[in-house]
Amino acid sequence: MTILDLFKLDGRHALVTGAAQGIGFEIARGLAEAGARVTIADMNPDVGQEAARDIGATFEVLNVTDPAAVAALARKVSDVDVLVNNAGIVRNTPAEETPDDDWRAVIGVNLDGVFWCCREFGRGMLARGGGSIVSTASMSGLISNHPQPQAAYNASKAAVIHLTRSLAGEWAARGVRVNAVAPGYTATPLTRRGLETPEWRDTWLGTTPMGRLAEPAEIAPAVLYLASDAASFVTGHTLVVDGGYTVW
């Protein structure tokens, strides 16, 4: 076996949440190209089904904030070897003006949804004695972004990083690895809208040493590494892919 063989996912089933577009879609594409059988799980059936057709994946409707729905999908799709928790949202409101519903929405998707999926799909992995979980955290879980206000998002992503460590410690001896990636500013529709605000654009690009946004396809290889046997001795780790933003 060569080093390149370690990155192959032939014969494995990967499920990616929030993969109808953006980073999630590129992750799903990358896992499929590595040989995995991929399931895209997303709330948007129209975009999700088209995305699945594009890469030869299957599609399942899933609201990650509904623990019963997550449990039902885990029973239906019971052979998942690789779980990628990618679904996420952001609300850019000043903390003192944040409505309760906005806080709960962000925590519900970005943290609760990650835990529900880890718990339900993790049970199957633990029963089979192996599996890999990768969650999309963010550099926002390591630093506090500015100038945009996003306390709920930052808190949720910091929690994902610590949840990753916690689950890794619990499950390592039972064959399940749990890791995360922490992207920096990436050229998704949400980020591109943020660039329309000159103060945000100038700060984001000016404080990123590489001076640009990541492309979604630049995040996918990090997920593939953590999901594959190339990272067989890696667990509890958060791999930062931020163009150097957090070095300053």
PDB file of all heavy atoms in Angstrom, residues 50-70:
ATOM      1  N   GLU A  50     -30.261  17.964  -7.046  1.00  0.00           N
ATOM      2  CA  GLU A  50     -29.423  18.309  -8.202  1.00  0.00           C
ATOM      3  C   GLU A  50     -27.947  18.101  -7.868  1.00  0.00           C
ATOM      4  O   GLU A  50     -27.177  17.570  -8.687  1.00  0.00           O
ATOM      5  CB  GLU A  50     -29.668  19.759  -8.606  1.00  0.00           C
ATOM      6  CG  GLU A  50     -28.853  20.188  -9.815  1.00  0.00           C
ATOM      7  CD  GLU A  50     -29.135  21.617 -10.231  1.00  0.00           C
ATOM      8  OE1 GLU A  50     -30.044  22.243  -9.657  1.00  0.00           O
ATOM      9  OE2 GLU A  50     -28.424  22.109 -11.139  1.00  0.00           O
ATOM     10  N   ALA A  51     -27.547  18.502  -6.663  1.00  0.00           N
ATOM     11  CA  ALA A  51     -26.157  18.312  -6.241  1.00  0.00           C
ATOM     12  C   ALA A  51     -25.799  16.832  -6.219  1.00  0.00           C
ATOM     13  O   ALA A  51     -24.712  16.429  -6.649  1.00  0.00           O
ATOM     14  CB  ALA A  51     -25.937  18.933  -4.864  1.00  0.00           C
ATOM     15  N   ALA A  52     -26.722  16.026  -5.711  1.00  0.00           N
ATOM     16  CA  ALA A  52     -26.472  14.588  -5.645  1.00  0.00           C
ATOM     17  C   ALA A  52     -26.322  13.994  -7.038  1.00  0.00           C
ATOM     18  O   ALA A  52     -25.442  13.152  -7.278  1.00  0.00           O
ATOM     19  CB  ALA A  52     -27.609  13.905  -4.887  1.00  0.00           C
ATOM     20  N   ARG A  53     -27.155  14.431  -7.965  1.00  0.00           N
ATOM     21  CA  ARG A  53     -27.033  13.937  -9.344  1.00  0.00           C
ATOM     22  C   ARG A  53     -25.684  14.318  -9.943  1.00  0.00           C
ATOM     23  O   ARG A  53     -25.071  13.529 -10.679  1.00  0.00           O
ATOM     24  CB  ARG A  53     -28.174  14.488 -10.207  1.00  0.00           C
ATOM     25  CG  ARG A  53     -29.517  13.829  -9.963  1.00  0.00           C
ATOM     26  CD  ARG A  53     -30.512  14.188 -11.057  1.00  0.00           C
ATOM     27  NE  ARG A  53     -30.811  15.624 -11.066  1.00  0.00           N
ATOM     28  CZ  ARG A  53     -31.797  16.179 -10.381  1.00  0.00           C
ATOM     29  NH1 ARG A  53     -32.586  15.435  -9.612  1.00  0.00           N
ATOM     30  NH2 ARG A  53     -32.021  17.479 -10.452  1.00  0.00           N
ATOM     31  N   ASP A  54     -25.220  15.512  -9.632  1.00  0.00           N
ATOM     32  CA  ASP A  54     -23.961  16.001 -10.209  1.00  0.00           C
ATOM     33  C   ASP A  54     -22.776  15.110  -9.856  1.00  0.00           C
ATOM     34  O   ASP A  54     -21.841  14.976 -10.654  1.00  0.00           O
ATOM     35  CB  ASP A  54     -23.667  17.428  -9.727  1.00  0.00           C
ATOM     36  CG  ASP A  54     -24.516  18.466 -10.433  1.00  0.00           C
ATOM     37  OD1 ASP A  54     -25.165  18.120 -11.438  1.00  0.00           O
ATOM     38  OD2 ASP A  54     -24.528  19.630  -9.977  1.00  0.00           O
ATOM     39  N   ILE A  55     -22.788  14.516  -8.660  1.00  0.00           N
ATOM     40  CA  ILE A  55     -21.615  13.754  -8.214  1.00  0.00           C
ATOM     41  C   ILE A  55     -21.915  12.267  -8.038  1.00  0.00           C
ATOM     42  O   ILE A  55     -21.089  11.526  -7.515  1.00  0.00           O
ATOM     43  CB  ILE A  55     -21.044  14.331  -6.907  1.00  0.00           C
ATOM     44  CG1 ILE A  55     -22.065  14.223  -5.759  1.00  0.00           C
ATOM     45  CG2 ILE A  55     -20.589  15.768  -7.099  1.00  0.00           C
ATOM     46  CD1 ILE A  55     -21.475  14.595  -4.404  1.00  0.00           C
ATOM     47  N   GLY A  56     -23.105  11.838  -8.466  1.00  0.00           N
ATOM     48  CA  GLY A  56     -23.444  10.426  -8.341  1.00  0.00           C
ATOM     49  C   GLY A  56     -23.727   9.995  -6.919  1.00  0.00           C
ATOM     50  O   GLY A  56     -23.477   8.841  -6.551  1.00  0.00           O
ATOM     51  N   ALA A  57     -24.261  10.917  -6.116  1.00  0.00           N
ATOM     52  CA  ALA A  57     -24.593  10.622  -4.721  1.00  0.00           C
ATOM     53  C   ALA A  57     -26.088  10.366  -4.586  1.00  0.00           C
ATOM     54  O   ALA A  57     -26.858  10.503  -5.549  1.00  0.00           O
ATOM     55  CB  ALA A  57     -24.176  11.795  -3.826  1.00  0.00           C
ATOM     56  N   THR A  58     -26.514   9.995  -3.399  1.00  0.00           N
ATOM     57  CA  THR A  58     -27.935   9.917  -3.073  1.00  0.00           C
ATOM     58  C   THR A  58     -28.283  11.107  -2.185  1.00  0.00           C
ATOM     59  O   THR A  58     -27.410  11.741  -1.599  1.00  0.00           O
ATOM     60  CB  THR A  58     -28.282   8.601  -2.355  1.00  0.00           C
ATOM     61  OG1 THR A  58     -27.499   8.501  -1.154  1.00  0.00           O
ATOM     62  CG2 THR A  58     -27.990   7.409  -3.235  1.00  0.00           C
ATOM     63  N   PHE A  59     -29.563  11.409  -2.100  1.00  0.00           N
ATOM     64  CA  PHE A  59     -30.013  12.565  -1.332  1.00  0.00           C
ATOM     65  C   PHE A  59     -31.048  12.167  -0.297  1.00  0.00           C
ATOM     66  O   PHE A  59     -31.924  11.351  -0.565  1.00  0.00           O
ATOM     67  CB  PHE A  59     -30.601  13.644  -2.244  1.00  0.00           C
ATOM     68  CG  PHE A  59     -31.169  14.813  -1.487  1.00  0.00           C
ATOM     69  CD1 PHE A  59     -30.323  15.775  -0.958  1.00  0.00           C
ATOM     70  CD2 PHE A  59     -32.532  14.925  -1.272  1.00  0.00           C
ATOM     71  CE1 PHE A  59     -30.833  16.849  -0.227  1.00  0.00           C
ATOM     72  CE2 PHE A  59     -33.057  15.990  -0.555  1.00  0.00           C
ATOM     73  CZ  PHE A  59     -32.200  16.955  -0.027  1.00  0.00           C
ATOM     74  N   GLU A  60     -30.928  12.753   0.881  1.00  0.00           N
ATOM     75  CA  GLU A  60     -31.913  12.579   1.940  1.00  0.00           C
ATOM     76  C   GLU A  60     -32.240  13.944   2.538  1.00  0.00           C
ATOM     77  O   GLU A  60     -31.338  14.749   2.788  1.00  0.00           O
ATOM     78  CB  GLU A  60     -31.384  11.667   3.055  1.00  0.00           C
ATOM     79  CG  GLU A  60     -31.091  10.245   2.626  1.00  0.00           C
ATOM     80  CD  GLU A  60     -32.350   9.401   2.431  1.00  0.00           C
ATOM     81  OE1 GLU A  60     -33.442   9.864   2.846  1.00  0.00           O
ATOM     82  OE2 GLU A  60     -32.232   8.295   1.879  1.00  0.00           O
ATOM     83  N   VAL A  61     -33.512  14.206   2.735  1.00  0.00           N
ATOM     84  CA  VAL A  61     -33.923  15.442   3.409  1.00  0.00           C
ATOM     85  C   VAL A  61     -33.627  15.302   4.905  1.00  0.00           C
ATOM     86  O   VAL A  61     -33.959  14.287   5.521  1.00  0.00           O
ATOM     87  CB  VAL A  61     -35.421  15.723   3.208  1.00  0.00           C
ATOM     88  CG1 VAL A  61     -35.857  16.940   4.020  1.00  0.00           C
ATOM     89  CG2 VAL A  61     -35.733  15.949   1.734  1.00  0.00           C
ATOM     90  N   LEU A  62     -32.992  16.328   5.476  1.00  0.00           N
ATOM     91  CA  LEU A  62     -32.692  16.272   6.907  1.00  0.00           C
ATOM     92  C   LEU A  62     -32.648  17.672   7.492  1.00  0.00           C
ATOM     93  O   LEU A  62     -31.948  18.554   6.991  1.00  0.00           O
ATOM     94  CB  LEU A  62     -31.341  15.591   7.155  1.00  0.00           C
ATOM     95  CG  LEU A  62     -30.912  15.509   8.633  1.00  0.00           C
ATOM     96  CD1 LEU A  62     -31.880  14.643   9.429  1.00  0.00           C
ATOM     97  CD2 LEU A  62     -29.493  15.016   8.772  1.00  0.00           C
ATOM     98  N   ASN A  63     -33.378  17.843   8.579  1.00  0.00           N
ATOM     99  CA  ASN A  63     -33.281  19.025   9.426  1.00  0.00           C
ATOM    100  C   ASN A  63     -32.470  18.611  10.648  1.00  0.00           C
ATOM    101  O   ASN A  63     -32.955  17.894  11.520  1.00  0.00           O
ATOM    102  CB  ASN A  63     -34.673  19.503   9.834  1.00  0.00           C
ATOM    103  CG  ASN A  63     -34.634  20.695  10.779  1.00  0.00           C
ATOM    104  OD1 ASN A  63     -33.560  21.143  11.200  1.00  0.00           O
ATOM    105  ND2 ASN A  63     -35.795  21.217  11.131  1.00  0.00           N
ATOM    106  N   VAL A  64     -31.219  19.058  10.724  1.00  0.00           N
ATOM    107  CA  VAL A  64     -30.329  18.582  11.782  1.00  0.00           C
ATOM    108  C   VAL A  64     -30.757  19.062  13.163  1.00  0.00           C
ATOM    109  O   VAL A  64     -30.287  18.537  14.177  1.00  0.00           O
ATOM    110  CB  VAL A  64     -28.866  18.983  11.519  1.00  0.00           C
ATOM    111  CG1 VAL A  64     -28.346  18.362  10.240  1.00  0.00           C
ATOM    112  CG2 VAL A  64     -28.683  20.501  11.529  1.00  0.00           C
ATOM    113  N   THR A  65     -31.645  20.054  13.225  1.00  0.00           N
ATOM    114  CA  THR A  65     -32.091  20.545  14.529  1.00  0.00           C
ATOM    115  C   THR A  65     -33.171  19.665  15.142  1.00  0.00           C
ATOM    116  O   THR A  65     -33.558  19.879  16.292  1.00  0.00           O
ATOM    117  CB  THR A  65     -32.629  21.986  14.435  1.00  0.00           C
ATOM    118  OG1 THR A  65     -33.858  22.001  13.702  1.00  0.00           O
ATOM    119  CG2 THR A  65     -31.618  22.895  13.767  1.00  0.00           C
ATOM    120  N   ASP A  66     -33.651  18.685  14.396  1.00  0.00           N
ATOM    121  CA  ASP A  66     -34.712  17.784  14.861  1.00  0.00           C
ATOM    122  C   ASP A  66     -34.090  16.444  15.241  1.00  0.00           C
ATOM    123  O   ASP A  66     -33.785  15.629  14.366  1.00  0.00           O
ATOM    124  CB  ASP A  66     -35.744  17.596  13.746  1.00  0.00           C
ATOM    125  CG  ASP A  66     -36.912  16.705  14.163  1.00  0.00           C
ATOM    126  OD1 ASP A  66     -36.833  16.061  15.223  1.00  0.00           O
ATOM    127  OD2 ASP A  66     -37.896  16.650  13.400  1.00  0.00           O
ATOM    128  N   PRO A  67     -33.898  16.186  16.538  1.00  0.00           N
ATOM    129  CA  PRO A  67     -33.219  14.945  16.925  1.00  0.00           C
ATOM    130  C   PRO A  67     -33.965  13.692  16.494  1.00  0.00           C
ATOM    131  O   PRO A  67     -33.344  12.667  16.182  1.00  0.00           O
ATOM    132  CB  PRO A  67     -33.108  15.044  18.451  1.00  0.00           C
ATOM    133  CG  PRO A  67     -34.105  16.075  18.854  1.00  0.00           C
ATOM    134  CD  PRO A  67     -34.238  17.022  17.709  1.00  0.00           C
ATOM    135  N   ALA A  68     -35.295  13.756  16.435  1.00  0.00           N
ATOM    136  CA  ALA A  68     -36.055  12.592  15.986  1.00  0.00           C
ATOM    137  C   ALA A  68     -35.799  12.310  14.514  1.00  0.00           C
ATOM    138  O   ALA A  68     -35.684  11.147  14.094  1.00  0.00           O
ATOM    139  CB  ALA A  68     -37.552  12.808  16.241  1.00  0.00           C
ATOM    140  N   ALA A  69     -35.699  13.372  13.708  1.00  0.00           N
ATOM    141  CA  ALA A  69     -35.420  13.196  12.280  1.00  0.00           C
ATOM    142  C   ALA A  69     -34.014  12.641  12.070  1.00  0.00           C
ATOM    143  O   ALA A  69     -33.796  11.791  11.196  1.00  0.00           O
ATOM    144  CB  ALA A  69     -35.582  14.526  11.557  1.00  0.00           C
ATOM    145  N   VAL A  70     -33.064  13.113  12.863  1.00  0.00           N
ATOM    146  CA  VAL A  70     -31.694  12.604  12.753  1.00  0.00           C
ATOM    147  C   VAL A  70     -31.661  11.122  13.118  1.00  0.00           C
ATOM    148  O   VAL A  70     -31.035  10.303  12.430  1.00  0.00           O
ATOM    149  CB  VAL A  70     -30.731  13.403  13.653  1.00  0.00           C
ATOM    150  CG1 VAL A  70     -29.341  12.776  13.639  1.00  0.00           C
ATOM    151  CG2 VAL A  70     -30.663  14.855  13.193  1.00  0.00           C
TER     152      VAL A  70
END
